[in-house]
Amino acid sequence: MIFWVSVSVIRYPHGKRQRKNKIKENRKTPEEKILLFGATLGMGLMPVIYVFTPFLNFADYSLPIWVNILGLLLAGPSLWLFYRSHKDLGLNWSASLEVREEHTLVTDGIYQSIRHPMYTSIWLWVLVQAFLLPNLVAGWAGFVTFGILYVLRVGKEEKMMLQQFGGQYQDYMQKTGRLIPRMGKEKQVH
Ligand code: SAH
């Protein structure tokens, strides 16, 4: 619960602030909306139902203590990356696929080496959920719902950024990795 509250505290001011930067292009398709709703249920509501009601007790199973400890250890990097990516993305952040009127391409800070650090932090988040909640449904609901959202969204997001920023984003893609920094040598551009 402390983790869930921390995530909300980090995001809250950004949700409020970025409303000032008007949306120019909205790609919030019905599919996007359903996926976002599913992830909210899986990552937000399921753990709350599990903690405060007996409805999901049928799916309880036991987790070894070292898995719980691993979950606690991942919570720190997840929160840090979640915070850093919100801070670096600033007014360009959207919960959905959107381009804002004064959208700038962020390529510094944590975005210098990773294209989707916020998604990295959310992958860690859903692992924290799975490793801390000893329940097959509540534990893995976040992993499954966010996993589907991620797989269906990340390609579309990069296409949208390519259409918006063209060669600038193409160059940026050469230098960065999607979820972790790019390994190996940077491609030489002659
Ligand atoms: N995928 C990124 C951002 C998630 S928020 C991450 O995981 O960190 C989603 C919004 O961020 C998208 O609607 C897109 O408009 C915007 N966005 C994604 N990458 C960006 C970048 N490098 N610079 C500016 N905006 C970006």
Side-chain angles (χ1 to χ4, degrees), residues 85 89 92-94 96-99 103-106 111 115-119 153 157 160-161 169 172:
S85 49
L89 209 52
N92 301 303
W93 175 74
S94 281
S96 192
L97 288 187
E98 285 161 344
V99 178
H103 210 116
T104 49
L105 179 63
V106 178
Y111 285 85
R115 289 200 291 289
H116 303 288
M118 201 176 288
Y119 297 157
R153 185 200 266 191
E157 181 168 330
M160 178 180 89
M161 298 305 280
Y169 195 74
Y172 174 61

Side-chain angles (χ1 to χ4, degrees), residues 1 4 8 36-52 125-126 129 133 138 141-142 145:
M1 285 298 109
W4 269 252
S8 313
L36 212 51
F37 181 68
T40 309
L41 289 186
M43 297 163 66
L45 195 63
M46 283 295 181
V48 173
I49 292 177
Y50 173 67
V51 170
F52 293 107
W125 164 350
V126 293
Q129 178 176 344
L133 304 182
T145 53

Side-chain angles (χ1 to χ4, degrees), residues 107-134:
T107 58
D108 49 15
I110 192 75
Y111 285 85
Q112 199 177 345
S113 47
I114 317 178
R115 289 200 291 289
H116 303 288
M118 201 176 288
Y119 297 157
T120 309
S121 77
I122 301 175
W123 273 119
L124 291 174
W125 164 350
V126 293
L127 285 179
V128 170
Q129 178 176 344
F131 293 166
L132 286 185
L133 304 182

Side-chain angles (χ1 to χ4, degrees), residues 135-183:
N135 183 279
L136 267 175
V137 176
W140 291 97
F143 188 87
V144 172
T145 53
F146 175 69
I148 298 171
L149 173 81
Y150 174 81
V151 167
L152 296 177
R153 185 200 266 191
V154 72
K156 282 193 211 155
E157 181 168 330
E158 293 191 339
K159 208 167 136 203
M160 178 180 89
M161 298 305 280
L162 276 171
Q163 280 169 1
Q164 179 69 18
F165 296 103
Q168 207 189 341
Y169 195 74
Q170 216 154 15
D171 290 347
Y172 174 61
M173 285 175 94
Q174 303 281 323
K175 297 183 190 127
T176 50
R178 260 190 176 161
L179 293 173
I180 54 170
R182 193 189 175 109
M183 300 293 165

